[in-house]
């Protein structure tokens, strides 16, 4: 049964963060929605949160219980949520028990009770919790379908939006499915040591919606839905790239190799093995942006703000003063306790709140660890990159590769297609000494110097050689050593698990 109230397109916002985005604005007035899921998935919390939201907006809500929990237990369970407001109970939210009507007169008496209550209270929203017990009281499947059809006709006639709660066993394929204009299923499952909750809209008559599965969580604020980033439209239209005003790293020889820096509003991958200097490169990009008066954001997964700032000071980057002045925000996130879309929402919120112009994400593997479904990481990252470009943010992202050596590793094809620029750093061991090398693998829509340069990390930061000669000498000697070792039947030296930084005593 579709929406025939004459109010097609009129929406009831849900008050559930993220859900209105999934539903393209909210519930349709006069429509009937089935909310299904297993025990403890959040069905009652979702419907109650929606009830209080509509009541706060000055509308009447009718909450009808069958053989579910008592009204006293229901309210007791809801008191811990911030959306709960006891003053709205019985003033805007009417609690009605259908137990007596069902026991005394079955479906017919229950329908009569509902009809009278809806006409008396004129609610904009009606919730029945739950349909499971009601269906069990039906004398036959035909009688239950007849009851549902009459119920739907009543709600549609009076323009009342209805939420019917049912167990997952009834859910998809049940009689309620055929009367419902929309079906929202809540699910939860264990993923490793974490518990993941997901929402999927199986059906939504009269309106487009975001399909697929969307993660949600339940906190003291109630439900928060995190729409899949790749399913969302861009916040704003992407503008064509600006050819001038490149974003410099503040490292003279590297900026010369980049012919002035990386193009603005692009994504740059800083690739290399652990300890090779990727984080320091990203911090240089932020530091130079701060010098130019730009707002910047560090978004990392492994370094606490205090530790990061201390390390930066050890190589001459005075980031603390910019944090204190409010020009730089340093965020630390533990990916093991968060999910991908939640992390992306926090990132984009900080960018828009701070009007960030330069962003450093340290690093891609932290994002990957937050992915419940690793196979969607490529599409997620492409969508996030597009959003960052649309917001005109110049972004650097660290991407860890295998341990260093003389061979040049190539970036993963899945991610390299989503970034405009790729810088590669590595280190090699020669005669008991470490040499760090940097090269540019790609700069989109700009020229660059493809030669390999040697660089050093000292108390003055990262310094790149002006020419390729020292790097060429190191690689030539490495090749000679490798050939000689092969002839002797021994293995050439391998780089260690962690390469120490020069001068600072830290691995940056």
């Amino acid at each position: 049964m579709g929406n025939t109230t004459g109010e097609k397109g009129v929406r009831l916002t849900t008050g559930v963060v993220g859900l209105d985005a999934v539903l393209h604005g909210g519930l349709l007035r006069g429509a009937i929605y089935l909310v299904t899921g297993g025990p403890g998935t959040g069905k009652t919390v979702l419907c109650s949160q929606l009830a209080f939201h509509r009541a706060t907006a000055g509308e009447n809500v009718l909450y009808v219980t069958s053989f579910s929990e008592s009204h006293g237990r229901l309210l007791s369970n809801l008191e811990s949520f911030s959306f709960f407001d006891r003053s709205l109970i019985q003033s805007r939210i009417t609690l009605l028990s259908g137990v007596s009507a069902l026991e005394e007169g079955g479906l017919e008496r229950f329908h009569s009770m509902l009809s009278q209550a809806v006409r008396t209270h004129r609610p904009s929203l009606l919730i029945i919790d739950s349909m499971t017990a009601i269906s069990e009281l039906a004398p036959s499947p035909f009688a239950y379908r007849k009851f549902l059809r009459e119920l739907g006709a009543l709600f549609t006639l009076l323009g009342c939006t209805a939420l019917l709660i049912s167990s997952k066993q009834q859910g998809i394929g049940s009689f309620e499915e055929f009367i419902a204009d929309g079906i929202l299923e809540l699910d939860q499952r264990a993923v490793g040591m974490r518990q993941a909750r997901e929402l999927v809209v199986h059906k939504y008559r009269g309106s487009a919606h975001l399909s697929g599965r969307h993660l949600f969580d339940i906190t003291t604020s109630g439900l928060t839905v995190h729409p899949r980033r790749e399913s969302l439209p861009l916040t704003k239209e992407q503008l064509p790239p600006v050819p001038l005003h490149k974003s410099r790293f503040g490292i003279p020889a590297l900026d010369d190799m980049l012919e002035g820096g990386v193009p603005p509003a692009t994504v740059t991958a800083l690739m290399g093995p652990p300890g090779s200097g990727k984080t320091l490169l990203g911090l240089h990009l932020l530091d130079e942006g701060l010098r130019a008066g730009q707002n910047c954001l560090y978004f990392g997964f492994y370094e606490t703000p205090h530790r990061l700032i201390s390390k930066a000071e050890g190589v001459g980057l005075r980031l603390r003063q910019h944090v204190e002045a409010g020009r730089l925000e340093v965020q630390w996130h533990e990916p093991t306790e968060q999910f991908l879309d939640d992390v992306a929402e926090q990132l984009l919120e900080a960018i828009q709140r701070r009007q960030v112009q330069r962003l450093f994400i340290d690093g891609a593997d932290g994002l990957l660890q937050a992915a419940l479904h690793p196979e969607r990481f490529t599409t997620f990252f492409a969508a996030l990159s597009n959003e960052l470009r649309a917001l005109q943010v110049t972004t650097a992202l660290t991407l860890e590769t295998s341990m260093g050596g003389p061979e040049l590793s190539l970036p993963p094809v899945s991610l390299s297609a989503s970034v405009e620029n790729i810088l590669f750093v590595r280190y090699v061991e020669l005669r008991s000494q470490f040499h760090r090398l940097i090269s540019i693998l790609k700069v989109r829509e700009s020229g660059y110097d493809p030669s390999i340069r040697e660089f050093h990390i000292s108390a003055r930061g990262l310094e790149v050689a002006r020419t390729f000669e020292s790097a060429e000498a190191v690689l030539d000697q490495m090749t000679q050593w490798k050939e000689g070792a092969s002839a002797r039947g021994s293995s050439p030296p391998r780089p260690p698990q962690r390469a120490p930084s020069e001068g600072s005593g830290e691995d940056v």
Side-chain angles (χ1 to χ4, degrees):
M1 179 176 297
N3 187 334
T4 58
T5 66
E7 295 183 279
K8 186 173 183 179
V10 178
R11 303 278 182 168
L12 293 180
T13 57
T14 66
V16 178
V17 175
L19 182 56
D20 288 335
V22 172
L23 302 180
H24 280 207
L27 305 175
L28 291 173
R29 189 176 296 276
I32 301 172
Y33 297 96
L34 179 64
V35 180
T36 183
T41 52
K43 304 183 297 298
T44 298
V45 176
L46 170 63
C47 293
S48 299
Q49 187 173 352
L50 213 159
F52 277 94
H53 176 69
R54 300 315 310 170
T56 302
E59 299 176 1
N60 292 332
V61 177
L62 186 60
Y63 198 114
V64 182
T65 58
S66 56
F67 290 92
S68 55
E69 58 191 353
S70 66
H71 293 168
R73 180 174 289 275
L74 172 66
L75 297 179
S76 177
N77 291 337
L78 294 176
E79 281 182 334
S80 61
F81 293 103
S82 61
F83 63 75
F84 180 81
D85 184 351
R86 187 171 286 276
S87 68
L88 295 174
I89 304 300
Q90 303 306 121
S91 63
R92 285 295 180 185
I93 301 176
T94 301
L95 299 177
L96 183 64
S97 174
V99 174
S100 296
L102 287 167
E103 289 180 333
E104 295 171 4
L107 299 186
E108 185 175 347
R109 179 71 178 274
F110 185 75
H111 181 274
S112 177
M113 182 203 72
L114 279 181
S115 179
Q116 180 62 41
V118 171
R119 285 181 166 85
T120 299
H121 298 283
R122 307 295 294 185
S124 67
L125 178 68
L126 180 141
I127 300 166
I128 300 180
D129 186 5
S130 75
M131 299 297 296
T132 305
I134 298 174
S135 67
E136 293 172 352
L137 290 174
S140 68
F142 176 79
Y144 186 57
R145 294 193 69 166
K146 180 175 180 291
F147 163 76
L148 291 174
R149 181 171 57 82
E150 293 173 349
L151 204 62
L154 172 66
F155 298 153
T156 302
L157 178 65
L158 299 178
C160 175
T161 302
L163 298 177
L164 311 180
I165 300 177
S166 77
S167 66
K168 189 172 183 179
Q169 289 73 20
Q170 277 187 285
I172 310 307
S174 66
F175 291 137
E176 293 94 338
E177 175 188 357
F178 298 101
I179 190 178
D181 296 293
I183 302 174
L184 282 66
E185 181 184 358
L186 306 182
D187 189 22
Q188 65 177 350
R189 59 193 179 92
V191 181
M193 298 295 289
R194 294 187 286 179
Q195 192 77 6
R197 299 178 183 269
E198 294 179 328
L199 175 143
V200 57
V201 180
H202 290 285
K203 172 183 175 183
Y204 209 67
R205 288 176 183 160
S207 172
H209 66 279
L210 300 183
S211 60
R213 307 185 74 85
H214 307 277
L215 289 167
F216 73 93
D217 49 43
I218 301 177
T219 65
T220 55
S221 299
L223 263 77
T224 298
V225 180
H226 306 288
R228 288 186 355 271
R229 177 54 45 186
E230 58 268 33
S231 69
L232 290 169
L234 291 177
T235 301
K236 58 192 295 186
E237 182 181 358
Q238 279 192 329
L239 300 175
V242 181
L244 301 177
H245 308 297
K246 287 186 172 182
S247 299
R248 301 176 63 86
F249 279 82
I251 304 171
L254 178 59
D255 289 330
D256 288 345
M257 293 174 68
L258 292 166
E259 297 186 0
V262 294
T266 60
V267 180
T268 301
L270 308 176
M271 299 180 54
S276 56
K278 304 184 299 298
T279 296
L280 183 53
L281 266 176
L283 293 179
H284 268 284
L285 183 70
L286 295 185
D287 184 69
E288 185 65 13
L290 292 166
R291 292 173 182 270
Q294 297 179 324
N295 292 332
C296 299
L297 171 65
Y298 171 91
F299 196 89
F301 298 95
Y302 304 109
E303 298 279 7
T304 63
H306 175 75
R307 184 174 176 83
L308 179 82
I309 291 172
S310 296
K311 283 189 174 184
E313 289 177 337
V315 291
L317 300 179
R318 309 300 179 190
L319 300 182
R320 192 183 306 275
Q321 62 187 18
H322 298 292
V323 172
E324 294 172 350
R327 292 187 296 273
L328 171 65
E329 182 170 335
V330 178
Q331 289 197 15
W332 170 55
H333 299 264
E334 292 185 276
T336 54
E337 293 302 321
Q338 298 188 75
F339 291 111
L340 203 54
D341 298 296
D342 184 16
V343 173
E345 289 168 11
Q346 295 176 56
L347 170 62
L348 294 172
E349 184 278 329
I351 287 173
Q352 296 182 62
R353 171 172 46 84
R354 290 276 189 174
Q355 297 183 326
V356 168
Q357 295 163 281
R358 291 198 189 193
L359 164 69
F360 176 33
I361 303 175
D362 190 23
D365 53 334
L367 286 174
L368 185 57
Q369 287 182 40
L372 178 63
H373 304 285
E375 66 275 6
R376 62 172 281 243
F377 184 75
T378 300
T379 55
F380 163 85
F381 184 76
L384 178 61
S385 299
N386 287 334
E387 188 72 26
L388 294 173
R389 294 184 192 99
L391 293 171
Q392 294 293 293
V393 178
T394 299
T395 304
L397 169 81
T398 60
L399 183 62
E400 197 158 291
T401 65
S402 58
M403 299 305 295
E407 295 82 11
L408 185 66
S409 301
L410 294 178
V413 175
S414 58
L415 285 186
S416 63
S418 299
V419 301
E420 288 88 350
N421 322 306
I422 300 176
L423 274 61
F424 184 71
V425 291
R426 53 187 165 135
Y427 47 77
V428 296
E429 182 185 6
L430 181 63
R431 295 176 181 173
S432 302
Q433 183 177 354
F434 293 107
H435 298 265
R436 299 174 186 265
L437 306 177
I438 186 170
S439 53
I440 302 171
L441 302 188
K442 179 173 82 168
V443 179
R444 191 169 295 172
E445 298 178 356
S446 175
Y448 63 92
D449 182 351
S451 66
I452 300 174
R453 303 283 184 92
E454 189 175 13
F455 72 94
H456 302 277
I457 298 175
S458 69
R460 296 184 299 276
L462 195 151
E463 299 174 333
V464 177
R466 284 288 183 179
T467 69
F468 62 85
E469 293 174 353
S470 62
E472 185 178 52
V474 169
L475 292 176
D476 283 345
Q477 293 180 61
M478 279 295 300
T479 300
Q480 294 172 17
W481 174 270
K482 186 175 181 180
E483 291 175 349
S486 177
R488 295 190 300 269
S490 59
S491 300
R494 298 177 61 84
Q497 292 296 309
R498 307 294 292 186
S501 302
E502 296 179 11
S504 68
E506 295 282 359
D507 173 26
V508 182

